[in-house]
Amino acid sequence: MTSTPARKVIFDTDPGVDDAMALYYALAHPAIDVVGITTTFGNVLVEQAASNALYLCALASREIPVTVGASKPLVKVAVPPPDFIHGADGLGNLPQRVITRGTPDPRSSPQFIIDTVRQSPGEITLVAVGPLGNLATALRMDPELPAMVREVILMGGTVLESGNVSPVAEANIWNDPHAADAVFTAGWPLTMVGLDVTHQVILPLALFQAIAEHHCHRATDTLHHAVSFYSAFYGQHDSLVRQVNGCYGHDVLAFVVLTNPELFTLQNGRVRVAVDGLAQGQTMMRRKEVSYPQYGWHEDIPHTQVCMAVQADACKAVIEATFMRNWL
Ligand code: RIB
Ligand code: CA
């Protein structure tokens, strides 16, 4: 029986605890082949992001190219990383790190994206779960990119759900709104996995304890430690999550929509980003075709597939089953 070849993915990330969950989900899932990890600032400084990506791969005995990318937003002034959410080291302030080898690929993240896509036109999916500066810079460097990329899936934004950095803005988009607007208007096949669905999926800390006990492996032990720190933040700030003693999976869902699209309800619309002012970072979705007097909503703004609903329990079951596979 011929099985579908695994989807080649470049993972653009700011690890970050839920980024680490997402990476390990991808490494565990047979339908995903992570061919590169391009890092960006966001949850941590970009140097720390690259170090964390190399460390997580080494713990899982994977050799995957890791590049250093955007160190700050394209235009707005950078804000300090949220060490109160992910820890100063981005992985929940690990008490120690085992000695591992591995150095970043010498290319920048945007250059790696362009080179890899041009080597395999039509085959590469970009899964982006941090601020979008690497993708925006790659677009500027190579305007033909959108026609050669198979698909872009991004964790970011929100349409009907409240924001997490303001009443209307989600962190990844808010951290670099100019980059995000370039990504939403580039014209590549784009799926947005925003807070409308990620706030429906709360992952219990007990799940990561069970995964760690199942594997008895330094990779899943490290992930469990990181999720414990990350869950403590949510326990202090989110009454819904506190009831579960867990956390939002956020970035993992960018891979679940790839492996299990049937669990999501998608809606097509034109998405733009507010780049400044009180609504900075808001993802605004034109959901019906009316002609607006407000500029910026012209007809040729490309469409985005936006995840508006998810079968949360089935999603959690897929995440658990994937982590429990024999992948380490
Ligand atoms: O808003 C959640 C997003 O911001 C996630 O990608 C998380 O890792 C942070 O980057
Ligand atoms: Ca992230």
Side-chain angles (χ1 to χ4, degrees), residues 14 16-19 42-43 86 129-131 155 164 170-172 175 195 230 234 250-251:
D14 59 333
V17 178
D18 58 320
D19 306 68
N43 291 324
H86 297 267
V129 298
M155 190 277 135
N164 58 8
E170 177 280 328
N172 288 336
N175 264 316
L195 301 182
Y230 182 61
Y234 277 111
H250 289 311
D251 294 343

Side-chain angles (χ1 to χ4, degrees), residues 173-223:
I173 307 302
W174 179 78
N175 264 316
D176 198 338
H178 297 83
D181 194 50
V183 169
F184 280 108
T185 55
W188 37 25
L190 175 59
T191 299
M192 174 180 130
V193 183
L195 301 182
D196 300 290
V197 292
T198 69
H199 274 182
Q200 302 307 311
V201 181
I202 301 172
L203 300 176
L205 176 58
L207 168 61
F208 294 91
Q209 180 177 350
I211 292 164
E213 289 168 357
H214 175 76
H215 288 290
C216 294
H217 193 283
R218 59 188 190 175
T220 42
D221 289 346
T222 297
L223 184 62

